[in-house]
Amino acid sequence: MKKVLVIGGGLAGLTAAAFLVKNKFDVTLLEASPKLGGRVYSFFDEETKTEIDNGQHILMGCYSETLTLLKMINASQNFHVGGDKKNHKQLVINYLDKNQKQFKLQSSRLPYPFNLLSALLSFKAISLKDKLSLIRFFIRIKFIDSTKLTNLNVNQWLISEKQSERVIKIFWEIISIGALNTSTEKASAKIFCDILKQIFWTDKNSSLIILPSLPLSKSFIEPLYSYLIENNCKVFLSEKCVSLEYTDEKISNFVTYSNKESMKKVYKDFDYVISAIPYYALEKLIDKNLFALKPDFKYSSILNVHLWLTESAASKFNFIDKEFYAFNNSELHWLFNKGSHWNIVISNADKFMGIDKEEIFRSILNELKSFIPINNEDVSCYKIIKEKRATFIPDGITLENRPSAETKIKNLFLAGDWTDTKLPATIESAIKSGRIAAEKIIYNL
Ligand SMILES: Cc1cc2nc3c(=O)[nH]c(=O)nc-3n(C[C@H](O)[C@H](O)[C@H](O)COP(=O)(O)OP(=O)(O)OC[C@H]3O[C@@H](n4cnc5c(N)ncnc54)[C@H](O)[C@@H]3O)c2cc1C
């Protein structure tokens, strides 16, 4: 039985390990932190007695790699199509507008893709002229050769496609910033075009928004861990890879430091290694030149603000009755409604990273007030979670330099959302990268 060492227990590493054990490899997974999941986890908050996510995660119907993995580990039932309970097979986005107004984008019961086109046609937030230019462009996307867009950013592309400022603000920005976690001026038009094709032009389910029904560790990570253990994978937590030795041909040993045992360990007995750690962590272990790694990743933050409403506020705001909302024209992006617990998500949130939590709370509440008449007294508790390096920024140059799974060293493969999956830094990218790295070993490609 061939032995594989997987370094990193985020979704990329867990997926690689899952595919390897499924194919009867002898796998050992080493994770530096005391928990699995990497950037996807939840934890129990003592003060509110709630298990909360490090950040709300959204999947989409076009996440085919993720949906396949969920089936494989028997966890599909932990997810559901989000939006409108009555119309759960349709794309529904409810928007909160200033001055307590609401509007929505909702696909109809017409056959795909007319259900989406009719959603745009009935989208009340934009003028008829804007609707027509949006629909014309929307149809064109299916046929655009995205390789011609490599020198454009999202904003330049949308303007060149005659999208008005209002359509860009109301319609395109929420998709672009949500999916790429950076401004439309920084994100590459090519990757945006590619994901739009996947979301809107794959099939009738690809644009559905899929949400975890349980906290992240329970919906995703525990089923993955159970799958690994049932298939004899050895998983070690609090064990950080601190150095490795290699020749041109192969990695000969890995040195780890175990926090639990306060000691170094040396791993020599393996045939292959998959590194599934972030690029900034890998850079510390290897010589970039030797590995011909060129990228210079820059990162972008995500801010999650959790608010718990008092009992009276929860009944006062009972008009907030949908599962989630998009904010129209605001630095707030999404509100996920979990009853008296609201999770507000702000993507592209670098400007908040250096600010203290009290000030963030004040500023968020102030902005929220222009949508919902909320005051300090309505909030019984709040928690703020900053994820500084949430995702890498998918600008044109970075995308061209993403390394693939294979390296110059024959027994080392790379995985992680940053490797060349052709996708932005998402769950889907992490899972795809893990599957690809595992298959390089399984099929000896
Ligand atoms: C707040 C937030 C919200 C997000 N929302 C969404 C969303 O809605 N939809 C979506 O698709 N994606 C979303 N993402 C992105 C998604 O979470 C990531 O793309 C994905 O989880 C990356 O997985 P990964 O395995 O590549 O990396 P990671 O999750 O970073 O895993 C890497 C692992 O390697 C470990 N490690 C690092 N160094 C070492 C070492 N030396 N030795 C051993 N182990 C090491 C780390 O501890 C970590 O566990 C979001 C991310 C954040 C932070």
Side-chain angles (χ1 to χ4, degrees):
M1 208 187 238
K2 294 275 186 196
K3 292 183 176 160
V4 187
L5 207 53
V6 176
I7 314 293
L11 283 177
L14 291 167
T15 303
F19 278 96
L20 287 164
V21 291
K22 184 174 182 235
N23 285 277
K24 307 288 174 235
F25 282 77
D26 177 353
V27 181
T28 302
L29 184 142
L30 307 176
E31 163 57 45
S33 83
K35 55 137 191 72
L36 292 172
R39 277 167 275 164
V40 174
Y41 70 98
S42 51
F43 61 93
F44 189 73
D45 174 51
E46 280 297 339
E47 195 181 348
T48 57
K49 305 279 178 245
T50 330
E51 181 147 349
I52 55 178
D53 296 340
N54 69 317
Q56 176 71 45
H57 277 67
I58 302 176
L59 318 185
M60 300 224 54
C62 60
Y63 278 24
S64 56
E65 300 268 351
T66 307
L67 299 177
T68 304
L69 178 80
L70 289 174
K71 246 189 222 155
M72 182 172 123
I73 60 168
N74 197 19
S76 310
Q77 68 283 0
N78 298 344
F79 293 80
H80 66 277
V81 176
D84 189 333
K85 284 194 182 103
K86 279 182 259 155
N87 298 305
H88 66 283
K89 283 280 177 237
Q90 291 179 31
L91 170 68
V92 190
I93 299 178
N94 292 285
Y95 284 76
L96 291 173
D97 204 359
K98 300 247 158 121
N99 305 318
Q100 296 171 54
K101 292 195 187 120
Q102 293 190 20
F103 57 89
K104 65 178 161 187
L105 178 76
Q106 177 166 13
S107 64
S108 67
R109 291 182 185 280
L110 289 172
Y112 167 82
F114 301 103
N115 60 337
L116 295 179
L117 297 175
S118 70
L120 300 180
L121 205 55
S122 61
F123 190 37
K124 292 204 176 78
I126 54 174
S127 68
L128 181 64
K129 188 176 164 221
D130 280 348
K131 278 182 205 173
L132 295 177
S133 78
L134 175 56
I135 291 174
R136 213 175 300 127
F137 175 45
F138 192 83
I139 296 171
R140 246 176 68 69
I141 288 169
K142 184 172 164 55
F143 306 99
I144 290 175
D145 174 2
S146 69
T147 56
K148 304 226 162 89
L149 303 175
T150 39
N151 296 325
L152 291 182
N153 65 39
V154 170
N155 198 46
Q156 290 165 333
W157 181 44
L158 295 174
I159 291 171
S160 75
E161 291 288 347
K162 306 207 167 24
Q163 299 303 286
S164 72
E165 212 176 296
R166 185 163 170 79
V167 175
I168 294 177
K169 267 264 157 293
I170 294 190
F171 186 80
W172 293 115
E173 272 195 1
I174 194 93
I175 305 178
S176 176
I177 298 177
L180 305 175
N181 190 30
T182 190
S183 70
T184 51
E185 281 84 18
K186 285 189 186 159
S188 140
K190 180 188 178 304
I191 199 160
F192 189 48
C193 179
D194 289 340
I195 60 164
L196 291 176
K197 285 184 192 205
Q198 285 166 27
I199 294 173
F200 296 114
W201 290 109
T202 306
D203 61 35
K204 66 178 176 11
N205 292 327
S206 56
S207 62
L208 294 176
I209 289 175
I210 299 173
L211 297 175
S213 312
L214 304 168
L216 282 173
S217 296
K218 297 223 154 42
S219 55
F220 231 134
I221 307 308
E222 285 177 19
L224 259 167
Y225 176 69
S226 302
Y227 183 87
L228 295 183
I229 296 303
E230 278 158 25
N231 288 284
N232 307 316
C233 180
K234 296 172 271 307
V235 177
F236 296 102
L237 299 179
S238 301
E239 193 152 339
K240 182 175 180 174
C241 176
V242 288
S243 65
L244 53 131
E245 271 177 32
Y246 50 86
T247 61
D248 275 356
E249 279 293 298
K250 61 187 282 218
I251 293 199
S252 50
N253 75 52
F254 252 95
V255 181
T256 64
Y257 182 77
S258 163
N259 261 337
K260 253 193 223 150
E261 296 160 54
S262 303
M263 62 184 266
K264 280 193 171 173
K265 288 187 192 171
V266 181
Y267 287 83
K268 286 185 174 165
D269 185 19
F270 52 80
D271 299 291
Y272 302 100
V273 176
I274 292 180
S275 162
I277 63 180
Y279 185 71
Y280 55 81
L282 182 66
E283 269 182 312
K284 291 184 193 148
L285 298 177
I286 55 162
D287 174 351
K288 267 170 74 173
N289 296 328
L290 183 67
F291 280 74
L293 292 178
K294 286 188 281 182
D296 177 17
F297 286 100
K298 292 175 198 73
Y299 298 89
S300 183
S301 321
I302 298 181
L303 183 73
N304 274 266
V305 178
H306 294 265
L307 302 179
W308 282 266
L309 303 176
T310 60
E311 226 172 275
S312 64
S315 64
K316 185 163 72 171
F317 302 135
N318 63 5
F319 58 91
I320 299 294
D321 57 355
K322 304 290 185 295
E323 196 175 10
F324 66 90
Y325 293 86
F327 288 94
N328 180 30
N329 200 6
S330 170
E331 65 183 15
L332 314 181
H333 293 122
W334 300 94
L335 186 156
F336 289 85
N337 173 21
K338 299 162 199 277
S340 57
H341 167 202
W342 290 353
N343 180 357
I344 293 170
V345 180
I346 302 170
S347 303
N348 189 27
D350 291 355
K351 76 171 213 190
F352 291 100
M353 292 301 119
I355 302 180
D356 75 57
K357 293 190 174 175
E358 232 170 87
E359 204 180 325
I360 294 179
F361 171 65
R362 272 199 300 277
S363 137
I364 299 304
L365 208 64
N366 208 27
E367 178 66 6
L368 188 57
K369 266 183 204 159
S370 47
F371 295 88
I372 299 168
I374 191 166
N375 288 309
N376 263 11
E377 303 74 59
D378 294 320
V379 179
S380 61
C381 181
Y382 71 87
K383 291 267 140 46
I384 287 172
I385 303 176
K386 299 176 181 177
E387 286 279 2
K388 200 162 181 206
R389 285 188 285 202
T391 60
F392 74 83
I393 296 177
D395 58 59
I397 295 174
T398 305
L399 293 177
E400 271 174 29
N401 288 319
R402 289 167 90 179
S404 59
E406 277 157 325
T407 66
K408 281 190 159 182
I409 296 182
K410 288 196 181 96
N411 67 342
L412 173 70
F413 298 89
L414 303 178
D417 62 355
W418 52 274
T419 58
D420 192 13
T421 57
K422 315 284 182 219
L423 296 168
T426 52
I427 286 175
E428 178 72 353
S429 177
I431 288 176
K432 182 175 179 186
S433 75
R435 196 260 305 152
I436 291 174
E439 287 185 351
K440 294 275 175 204
I441 295 172
I442 296 165
Y443 302 117
N444 208 0
L445 298 174

